[in-house]
């Protein structure tokens, strides 16, 4: 019976390209490497495996796999909420606040910046606040009109972007025609 010996390597980008054996052994238990394990790998690393067959007496020729490059993982999307001091907010009066209630995280450990995009009821971008670490942004109530306002928050890790949205209905200051007798 032929058994296979697996020897997993990571060429560690953060260690100047050092080739490190991170996992190995005989049998199918060692046929895969999970990057979430304590001997895992990071963005920019190269991962490969050497496999050596053995017939119980002698080792066969060791074969090296193709090298896989570990790519960046995008940050997870933040959780976003749009609020106002009054509910519902009134057009031309009440400020709108877009808050990140749960921050983004990044599996690679990259720093995350946020961009806030405010969209008016017509879908036009009314305000952009780029590349900030602030967990909230305010849109001035004096610039609001009635209708559905939306805040989009983009989370950026230096390579990839994810987004989240929240909206709020802004009421008209004038309720409509009034009849006097």
């Amino acid at each position: 019976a032929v058994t296979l010996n697996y020897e997993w390597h990571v060429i560690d980008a953060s260690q100047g390209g050092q080739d490190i054996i991170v996992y190995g052994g005989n049998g199918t238990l060692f046929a895969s490497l999970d990057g979430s394990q304590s001997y895992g790998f990071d963005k920019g690393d190269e991962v490969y495996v050497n496999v050596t067959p053995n017939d119980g007496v002698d080792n066969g020729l060791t074969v090296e796999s193709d090298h896989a490059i570990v790519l960046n993982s995008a940050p997870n999307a933040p959780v976003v909420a749009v609020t106002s001091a009054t509910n519902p907010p009134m057009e031309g009066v009440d400020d709108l606040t877009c808050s990140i209630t749960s921050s983004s995280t990044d599996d690679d450990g990259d720093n995350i910046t946020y961009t806030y995009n405010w969209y008016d009821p017509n879908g036009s971008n009314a305000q952009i606040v780029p590349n900030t670490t602030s967990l909230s942004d305010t849109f001035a109530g004096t610039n609001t009109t009635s209708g559905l306002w939306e805040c989009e928050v983009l989370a950026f890790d230096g390579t990839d972007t994810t987004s989240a949205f929240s909206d709020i209905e802004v009421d008209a200051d004038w309720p409509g025609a009034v009849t006097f007798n």
Side-chain angles (χ1 to χ4, degrees):
V2 175
T3 59
L4 300 175
N5 182 61
Y6 298 89
E7 183 181 84
W8 287 93
H9 292 249
V10 172
I11 300 175
D12 194 333
S14 65
Q15 299 291 326
Q18 182 179 2
D19 191 329
I20 304 166
I21 298 171
V22 294
Y23 189 56
N26 289 315
T28 57
L29 176 65
F30 300 94
S32 62
L33 179 67
D34 181 350
S36 67
Q37 297 165 335
S38 61
Y39 38 76
F41 35 84
D42 300 312
K43 168 178 71 173
D45 290 349
E46 287 184 53
V47 180
Y48 69 96
V49 63
N50 287 327
V51 181
T52 307
N54 183 287
D55 65 3
V57 177
D58 293 316
N59 284 335
L61 180 65
T62 298
V63 176
E64 183 174 308
S65 71
D66 289 338
H67 291 217
I69 306 295
V70 179
L71 300 177
N72 183 63
S73 63
N76 69 339
V79 177
V80 179
V82 178
T83 59
S84 180
T86 60
N87 191 14
M90 297 303 291
E91 70 174 339
V93 177
D94 297 313
D95 292 346
L96 308 178
T97 302
C98 184
S99 301
I100 297 173
T101 59
S102 181
S103 300
S104 296
T105 58
D106 186 79
D107 289 340
D108 303 319
D110 296 327
N111 291 325
I112 298 171
T113 59
Y114 299 104
T115 295
Y116 292 85
N117 290 309
W118 286 94
Y119 296 98
D120 67 17
N122 296 320
S124 298
N125 195 320
Q127 178 175 293
I128 300 172
V129 178
N131 303 322
T132 182
T133 56
S134 177
L135 297 180
S136 67
D137 184 61
T138 301
F139 188 86
T142 54
N143 296 323
T144 62
T145 56
S146 65
L148 189 66
W149 282 78
E150 182 175 71
C151 175
E152 173 190 34
V153 177
L154 303 172
F156 181 63
D157 70 355
T159 304
D160 291 320
T161 302
T162 58
S163 63
F165 300 87
S166 184
D167 53 42
I168 192 167
E169 186 72 33
V170 175
D171 275 357
D173 191 24
W174 183 62
V178 177
T179 303
F180 293 94
N181 292 331

